[in-house]
């Protein structure tokens, strides 16, 4: 069973009435013509040539970004079946906002209103940079959104660029992971816009999704996020904990749930690896009759 420490204070209490205390970030879109990664494009929008298919790009309409996983790649990680996410919906469903949309404020969401048997994996912070996880993400065709924090990434943005090239978007999780609620507007603006600038400079990306550290936010947070170009603040309903998935309410996954996990390694997981944790998470998601889909395909 996976163990993790509270490096970022990410503890979820199933019965808590308060906001969740987690961390995370969501996937950005490429900036046009700027930054080191300006040339990155979505595989799904590439020309459907035989050369692109031979290189591992998915066929048009498959709903996948990045290289197509090998047919039996899931077996390498101890799973008994592939993920097989459904094609993206033709029309994006309602957001089920926690904080109703308002001009000048980012919209807060915890889940997506859908009847598809899908949930959405988000990975926060960026403490662990395990090369084996890149292999696992490729073998599984694992869809997730990465919410990145500059302080713990340092000079290692290339690791997250490699995950982005597999089709996994990147979002904003602030520069230094403070609890934002109650801080003055300029402080919040610095933390959020500062990370936008870093992601632009280091990866050539301009995120649209934001995750407030620890799930703490106030009106100034949502105002600052919108000012920095982030139109949605993404919370979660389930979190991967040592005992498995823990829920903010109820006792199981629901269609459209957003799941929080973290880039963690043996130091934080008491000797277990990030790939161990991801395998366990996927196994539990599948056991409940769900699969993982890409959040950005639904919002």
């Amino acid at each position: 069973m996976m163990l993790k420490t509270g490096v970022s204070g990410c503890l979820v209490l199933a019965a808590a009435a308060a906001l969740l205390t987690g961390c995370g970030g969501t996937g950005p879109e490429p900036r046009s013509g700027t930054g080191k990664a300006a040339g990155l494009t979505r595989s799904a929008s590439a020309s459907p040539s035989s050369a692109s298919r031979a290189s591992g790009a998915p066929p048009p309409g498959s709903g996948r970004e990045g290289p197509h996983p090998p047919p039996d790649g899931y077996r390498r990680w101890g799973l008994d079946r592939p993920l097989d996410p459904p094609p993206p919906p033709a029309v994006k469903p309602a957001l089920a906002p926690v904080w109703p949309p308002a001009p000048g404020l980012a919209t807060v969401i915890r889940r997506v209103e859908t009847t598809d048997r899908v949930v959405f994996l988000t990975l926060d912070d960026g403490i662990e940079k395990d090369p084996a996880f890149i292999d696992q993400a490729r073998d599984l065709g694992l869809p997730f959104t990465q919410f990145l924090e500059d302080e713990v990434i340092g000079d290692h943005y290339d690791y997250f660029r490699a995950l982005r090239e597999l089709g996994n978007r990147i979002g904003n999780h602030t520069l230094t992971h403070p609890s934002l609620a109650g801080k003055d507007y300029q402080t919040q603006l610095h933390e959020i816009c500062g990370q936008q600038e870093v992601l632009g400079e280091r990866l050539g990306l301009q995120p649209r999704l934001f995750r407030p550290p620890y799930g703490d936010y106030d009106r100034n947070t949502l105002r600052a996020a919108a000012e920095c170009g982030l139109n949605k603040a993404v919370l979660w309903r389930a979190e991967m904990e040592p005992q498995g998935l823990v829920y903010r309410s109820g006792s199981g996954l629901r269609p459209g749930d957003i799941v929080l996990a973290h880039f963690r390694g043996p130091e934080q997981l008491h000797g277990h690896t990030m790939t161990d944790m991801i395998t366990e998470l996927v196994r539990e998601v599948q056991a409940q009759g769900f699969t993982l889909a890409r959040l950005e395909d639904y919002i």
Side-chain angles (χ1 to χ4, degrees), residues 124-202:
D124 281 12
D125 302 340
I127 292 174
E128 176 68 5
K129 295 106 178 155
D130 183 358
F133 176 61
I134 298 177
D135 295 336
Q136 184 184 45
R138 182 184 297 110
D139 287 346
L140 299 182
L142 185 73
F144 59 91
T145 301
Q146 330 173 51
F147 289 96
L148 301 184
E149 170 205 346
D150 183 64
E151 187 174 55
V152 297
I153 293 174
D155 293 328
H156 301 288
Y157 277 93
D158 282 351
Y159 177 84
F160 303 96
R161 182 202 305 275
L163 292 171
R164 175 63 178 85
E165 289 171 346
L166 296 179
N168 299 297
R169 305 296 184 83
I170 293 170
N172 186 316
H173 198 39
T174 73
L175 288 170
T176 65
H177 204 277
S179 177
L180 293 172
K183 287 186 166 43
D184 64 85
Y185 178 70
Q186 290 302 322
T187 297
Q188 298 201 41
L189 196 70
H190 169 74
E191 281 286 342
I192 300 170
C193 283
Q195 180 64 346
Q196 285 287 89
E197 292 175 6
V198 168
L199 291 169
E201 291 169 0
R202 301 301 298 270

Side-chain angles (χ1 to χ4, degrees), residues 24-145:
T26 70
E29 293 296 328
R31 294 171 96 183
S32 56
T34 62
K36 297 178 182 177
L40 293 179
T41 58
R42 297 180 60 178
S43 300
S45 63
S47 173
S49 65
S50 58
S52 69
R53 288 193 292 273
S55 69
S62 69
R64 283 190 194 276
E65 293 185 21
H68 196 78
D72 61 349
Y74 62 94
R75 297 186 187 278
R76 178 181 175 191
W77 304 99
L79 298 170
D80 59 9
R81 59 189 184 277
L83 283 171
D84 285 336
V91 177
K92 293 186 178 183
L95 289 175
V98 175
W99 187 301
L105 301 180
T107 300
V108 182
I109 64 169
R110 180 170 285 118
R111 56 184 303 275
V112 176
E113 291 285 1
T114 180
T115 58
D116 292 350
R117 299 287 293 179
V118 298
V119 296
F120 308 103
L121 174 60
T122 59
L123 291 169
D124 281 12
D125 302 340
I127 292 174
E128 176 68 5
K129 295 106 178 155
D130 183 358
F133 176 61
I134 298 177
D135 295 336
Q136 184 184 45
R138 182 184 297 110
D139 287 346
L140 299 182
L142 185 73
F144 59 91
T145 301

